[in-house]
Amino acid sequence: APELMPASVLVPLVQRPEGLRVLLTRRTDHLRDHAGQISFPGGRAERHDADAAATALREAEEEVGLPRGAIDIIGQLPHYTTVTRYVVTPVVALVRPPFTLQIDSFEVAEAFEVPLEFLMTPAHHQRHAFELQGQQRQFLSMPWDGVGLNGTPQRFFIWGATAAMLRNLYGFLAA
């Protein structure tokens, strides 16, 4: 089996007056892995990254221009192994506005914020069953009807690894 590659994502909890909001991105459609999917800022570890948090901070800066000075890391969630053979460390952080995003348009189609309260409501967690090679599998989704940062209303289909990590965050906060 191919070896697992370490990666990190930043789970950015933006401190807005109306409450915490989660900053998410939609990946561009031409990327090799997870094209077009909703994800946290993040990516694979580089040799010079000191630790998982360093990877998450570097990737967040590269992908959406989130400045390190606005970020306070508060902890990590359990590792999550993706079907694409990444072992992902989710690094949870508080982000202090104001900040101006600088989107890397090669990797990120857009960035948007979802209220944490919406994502942490189990009624919004949908389970989907499907069959793959004769096996019953399931995945979780959290569809959100919101507004992109460009102001256009749209439905964001949050699923897969990102939904699973949000579910782990829910378990952590609910405990």
PDB file of all heavy atoms in Angstrom, residues 144-148 150-156:
ATOM      1  N   TRP A 144     -25.359  23.639   3.472  1.00  0.00           N
ATOM      2  CA  TRP A 144     -25.640  24.958   4.038  1.00  0.00           C
ATOM      3  C   TRP A 144     -26.046  25.915   2.928  1.00  0.00           C
ATOM      4  O   TRP A 144     -25.332  26.076   1.939  1.00  0.00           O
ATOM      5  CB  TRP A 144     -24.405  25.498   4.763  1.00  0.00           C
ATOM      6  CG  TRP A 144     -24.632  26.821   5.432  1.00  0.00           C
ATOM      7  CD1 TRP A 144     -25.485  27.088   6.465  1.00  0.00           C
ATOM      8  CD2 TRP A 144     -23.998  28.060   5.119  1.00  0.00           C
ATOM      9  NE1 TRP A 144     -25.418  28.415   6.807  1.00  0.00           N
ATOM     10  CE2 TRP A 144     -24.509  29.036   6.005  1.00  0.00           C
ATOM     11  CE3 TRP A 144     -23.040  28.432   4.167  1.00  0.00           C
ATOM     12  CZ2 TRP A 144     -24.108  30.365   5.974  1.00  0.00           C
ATOM     13  CZ3 TRP A 144     -22.630  29.762   4.128  1.00  0.00           C
ATOM     14  CH2 TRP A 144     -23.163  30.711   5.031  1.00  0.00           C
ATOM     15  N   ASP A 145     -27.231  26.500   3.090  1.00  0.00           N
ATOM     16  CA  ASP A 145     -27.687  27.518   2.149  1.00  0.00           C
ATOM     17  C   ASP A 145     -27.204  28.858   2.669  1.00  0.00           C
ATOM     18  O   ASP A 145     -27.726  29.363   3.662  1.00  0.00           O
ATOM     19  CB  ASP A 145     -29.215  27.501   2.033  1.00  0.00           C
ATOM     20  CG  ASP A 145     -29.697  26.220   1.367  1.00  0.00           C
ATOM     21  OD1 ASP A 145     -29.154  25.882   0.303  1.00  0.00           O
ATOM     22  OD2 ASP A 145     -30.587  25.553   1.920  1.00  0.00           O
ATOM     23  N   GLY A 146     -26.180  29.364   2.031  1.00  0.00           N
ATOM     24  CA  GLY A 146     -25.576  30.587   2.533  1.00  0.00           C
ATOM     25  C   GLY A 146     -25.207  31.523   1.419  1.00  0.00           C
ATOM     26  O   GLY A 146     -25.747  31.456   0.317  1.00  0.00           O
ATOM     27  N   VAL A 147     -24.267  32.393   1.741  1.00  0.00           N
ATOM     28  CA  VAL A 147     -23.859  33.424   0.801  1.00  0.00           C
ATOM     29  C   VAL A 147     -22.350  33.347   0.670  1.00  0.00           C
ATOM     30  O   VAL A 147     -21.646  33.315   1.674  1.00  0.00           O
ATOM     31  CB  VAL A 147     -24.288  34.812   1.333  1.00  0.00           C
ATOM     32  CG1 VAL A 147     -23.785  35.911   0.423  1.00  0.00           C
ATOM     33  CG2 VAL A 147     -25.800  34.880   1.462  1.00  0.00           C
ATOM     34  N   GLY A 148     -21.867  33.290  -0.564  1.00  0.00           N
ATOM     35  CA  GLY A 148     -20.422  33.328  -0.783  1.00  0.00           C
ATOM     36  C   GLY A 148     -19.889  34.705  -0.423  1.00  0.00           C
ATOM     37  O   GLY A 148     -20.654  35.659  -0.273  1.00  0.00           O
ATOM     38  N   ASN A 150     -18.599  36.692  -2.250  1.00  0.00           N
ATOM     39  CA  ASN A 150     -18.941  37.639  -3.318  1.00  0.00           C
ATOM     40  C   ASN A 150     -20.393  38.102  -3.209  1.00  0.00           C
ATOM     41  O   ASN A 150     -20.873  38.871  -4.030  1.00  0.00           O
ATOM     42  CB  ASN A 150     -18.695  36.997  -4.693  1.00  0.00           C
ATOM     43  CG  ASN A 150     -19.559  35.758  -4.902  1.00  0.00           C
ATOM     44  OD1 ASN A 150     -20.325  35.374  -4.012  1.00  0.00           O
ATOM     45  ND2 ASN A 150     -19.447  35.140  -6.059  1.00  0.00           N
ATOM     46  N   GLY A 151     -21.120  37.600  -2.188  1.00  0.00           N
ATOM     47  CA  GLY A 151     -22.486  38.065  -1.958  1.00  0.00           C
ATOM     48  C   GLY A 151     -23.572  37.266  -2.658  1.00  0.00           C
ATOM     49  O   GLY A 151     -24.748  37.592  -2.547  1.00  0.00           O
ATOM     50  N   THR A 152     -23.181  36.213  -3.393  1.00  0.00           N
ATOM     51  CA  THR A 152     -24.175  35.415  -4.120  1.00  0.00           C
ATOM     52  C   THR A 152     -24.734  34.298  -3.243  1.00  0.00           C
ATOM     53  O   THR A 152     -23.961  33.516  -2.698  1.00  0.00           O
ATOM     54  CB  THR A 152     -23.522  34.735  -5.350  1.00  0.00           C
ATOM     55  OG1 THR A 152     -22.675  35.678  -5.995  1.00  0.00           O
ATOM     56  CG2 THR A 152     -24.573  34.236  -6.321  1.00  0.00           C
ATOM     57  N   PRO A 153     -26.082  34.199  -3.099  1.00  0.00           N
ATOM     58  CA  PRO A 153     -26.651  33.089  -2.339  1.00  0.00           C
ATOM     59  C   PRO A 153     -26.410  31.772  -3.071  1.00  0.00           C
ATOM     60  O   PRO A 153     -26.555  31.717  -4.293  1.00  0.00           O
ATOM     61  CB  PRO A 153     -28.145  33.393  -2.270  1.00  0.00           C
ATOM     62  CG  PRO A 153     -28.323  34.752  -2.845  1.00  0.00           C
ATOM     63  CD  PRO A 153     -27.104  35.091  -3.633  1.00  0.00           C
ATOM     64  N   GLN A 154     -26.041  30.740  -2.339  1.00  0.00           N
ATOM     65  CA  GLN A 154     -25.841  29.441  -2.958  1.00  0.00           C
ATOM     66  C   GLN A 154     -25.851  28.344  -1.912  1.00  0.00           C
ATOM     67  O   GLN A 154     -25.780  28.620  -0.725  1.00  0.00           O
ATOM     68  CB  GLN A 154     -24.539  29.408  -3.746  1.00  0.00           C
ATOM     69  CG  GLN A 154     -23.317  29.767  -2.937  1.00  0.00           C
ATOM     70  CD  GLN A 154     -22.063  29.763  -3.801  1.00  0.00           C
ATOM     71  OE1 GLN A 154     -21.666  28.726  -4.296  1.00  0.00           O
ATOM     72  NE2 GLN A 154     -21.457  30.923  -3.982  1.00  0.00           N
ATOM     73  N   ARG A 155     -25.953  27.106  -2.393  1.00  0.00           N
ATOM     74  CA  ARG A 155     -25.906  25.959  -1.490  1.00  0.00           C
ATOM     75  C   ARG A 155     -24.493  25.399  -1.491  1.00  0.00           C
ATOM     76  O   ARG A 155     -23.931  25.104  -2.532  1.00  0.00           O
ATOM     77  CB  ARG A 155     -26.896  24.882  -1.928  1.00  0.00           C
ATOM     78  CG  ARG A 155     -26.636  23.536  -1.249  1.00  0.00           C
ATOM     79  CD  ARG A 155     -27.840  22.639  -1.234  1.00  0.00           C
ATOM     80  NE  ARG A 155     -28.737  23.028  -0.169  1.00  0.00           N
ATOM     81  CZ  ARG A 155     -29.569  22.183   0.442  1.00  0.00           C
ATOM     82  NH1 ARG A 155     -29.647  20.935   0.067  1.00  0.00           N
ATOM     83  NH2 ARG A 155     -30.348  22.597   1.410  1.00  0.00           N
ATOM     84  N   PHE A 156     -23.927  25.295  -0.299  1.00  0.00           N
ATOM     85  CA  PHE A 156     -22.600  24.706  -0.142  1.00  0.00           C
ATOM     86  C   PHE A 156     -22.785  23.298   0.405  1.00  0.00           C
ATOM     87  O   PHE A 156     -23.381  23.121   1.471  1.00  0.00           O
ATOM     88  CB  PHE A 156     -21.764  25.533   0.829  1.00  0.00           C
ATOM     89  CG  PHE A 156     -21.438  26.911   0.317  1.00  0.00           C
ATOM     90  CD1 PHE A 156     -22.194  28.007   0.706  1.00  0.00           C
ATOM     91  CD2 PHE A 156     -20.377  27.117  -0.558  1.00  0.00           C
ATOM     92  CE1 PHE A 156     -21.896  29.288   0.244  1.00  0.00           C
ATOM     93  CE2 PHE A 156     -20.078  28.392  -1.027  1.00  0.00           C
ATOM     94  CZ  PHE A 156     -20.835  29.473  -0.628  1.00  0.00           C
TER      95      PHE A 156
END
